[in-house]
Amino acid sequence: MAGEVRIWLAVMHEGSDVTPRRRPRSESTIRLHLRSALPALARWAADGKTSLREITAADVCTALPPAGAPRSRMSEGLRSLYRVLKARRLVFTDPAAQVTAGFPDPTIPMPLAVGHIRAALDSADPARALLCALIAFHGLTAHQIQHLQLTDARNGHLDVDGRRIPLADPVSRRVATYLDHRPRCWPATTHPHLFVHFRSATTGTDVGHRWINLRRGLHLTTRALRNDRLLDEALATGNDPKHLTDLFGLASAPPCATPALPPTPT
């Protein structure tokens, strides 16, 4: 079983050029999956299992926590392990895929550590500083950042999804710094997107979520940083739903229609 886990680790760290191909995963992703799967692996080893080929769906079901985030995380860790091993034909079935893990319990957004946010905003990498500033000040999503065009940032404003957002001064300064940096790194690119990297500058594709995750850093996630901004605004304005909806372009849920009652028989 340890040998099978080592093969998974090697593929996760280095990726694979053979079919099915895989990109290397980040260190934080590898650690999360391994830490989540280890209790189940230790339990099976203690029960005398010598290979993950011996594991059944019943074994997975018994090892998983009853509910919530621990169950979801362990299931995802085991599925990652089995996906790699099955692709390498080291196991025949994926018992983790046969067990419903459910969804993690919703959590209340909590403020992030200010030091991590400040370090990202003051990064020497202009792309990272601007990326985190757009999320921390204006609550942009990864999808919005991925598809920003060069023409969307001009005259101190940002055009996003039909909205014209006045840029905060710290964001405007980082936009200017990044726009000076971009042509120095890729002087010949005609890429229309605001953010580019060494591959997209020549292919014309937009940056992917993986690039955004790597550029953002280990201690921050796009969702957590965006939630931190929304939480800060909600606390500052008394949790006014209309203000938050207008400021961040949030979609408001339509009112529930009241079903018509059948006529009362006479």
Side-chain angles (χ1 to χ4, degrees):
M1 193 181 294
E4 293 165 339
V5 174
R6 290 191 191 98
I7 292 172
W8 172 80
L9 279 171
V11 173
M12 292 289 283
H13 272 292
E14 302 165 11
S16 175
D17 292 332
V18 300
T19 305
R21 295 174 179 166
R22 288 176 64 93
R23 289 181 175 179
R25 298 308 195 258
S26 67
E27 188 70 24
S28 59
T29 297
I30 298 171
R31 287 179 180 274
L32 176 62
H33 287 336
L34 183 58
R35 191 183 303 118
S36 300
L38 272 177
L41 299 177
R43 176 172 183 164
W44 296 333
D47 290 342
K49 306 289 187 183
T50 59
S51 170
L52 289 172
R53 290 189 296 272
E54 303 175 36
I55 306 303
T56 65
D59 294 324
V60 174
C61 192
T62 303
L64 287 176
R71 181 181 179 91
S72 178
R73 285 196 295 265
M74 182 180 286
S75 174
E76 187 57 36
L78 292 174
R79 291 186 185 194
S80 172
L81 186 61
Y82 271 101
R83 275 195 297 266
V84 171
L85 296 180
K86 190 175 180 182
R88 295 293 172 273
R89 299 183 179 181
L90 297 174
V91 298
F92 305 108
T93 60
D94 180 357
Q98 303 172 26
V99 179
T100 301
F103 298 95
D105 297 328
T107 56
I108 299 174
M110 298 297 291
L112 292 175
V114 176
H116 295 325
I117 301 176
R118 185 177 292 118
L121 295 176
D122 295 339
S123 172
D125 178 1
R128 185 188 183 207
L130 176 57
L131 172 72
C132 293
L134 290 171
I135 305 171
F137 283 89
H138 298 296
L140 266 62
T141 65
H143 179 80
Q144 290 169 335
I145 289 172
Q146 183 181 356
H147 294 93
L148 280 176
Q149 304 284 304
L150 269 172
T151 54
D152 290 336
R154 63 183 189 278
N155 300 326
H157 289 77
L158 188 69
D159 295 324
V160 179
D161 295 340
R163 296 183 298 128
R164 189 162 178 78
I165 304 171
L167 290 175
D169 289 341
V171 183
S172 291
R173 292 196 294 271
R174 286 164 177 81
V175 168
T177 301
Y178 175 75
L179 292 180
D180 287 341
H181 162 80
R182 188 179 186 270
R184 288 200 299 269
C185 289
W186 302 282
T189 186
T190 57
H191 203 299
H193 287 86
L194 177 64
F195 288 105
V196 296
H197 56 60
F198 73 96
R199 187 179 295 111
S200 70
T202 56
T203 61
T205 57
D206 51 51
V207 296
H209 287 273
R210 182 172 180 272
W211 179 88
I212 293 175
N213 293 340
L214 292 174
R215 190 66 60 181
R216 193 188 52 240
L218 288 176
H219 301 291
L220 299 173
T221 68
T222 303
R223 176 173 294 182
L225 190 54
R226 185 170 186 266
N227 285 346
D228 183 86
R229 175 66 183 98
L230 268 62
L231 178 63
D232 182 72
E233 189 67 27
L235 294 175
T237 59
N239 198 21
D240 181 355
K242 186 178 186 307
H243 173 76
L244 295 175
T245 299
D246 294 341
L247 184 61
F248 298 108
L250 303 177
S252 57
C256 296
T258 304
L261 296 177
T264 303
T266 56

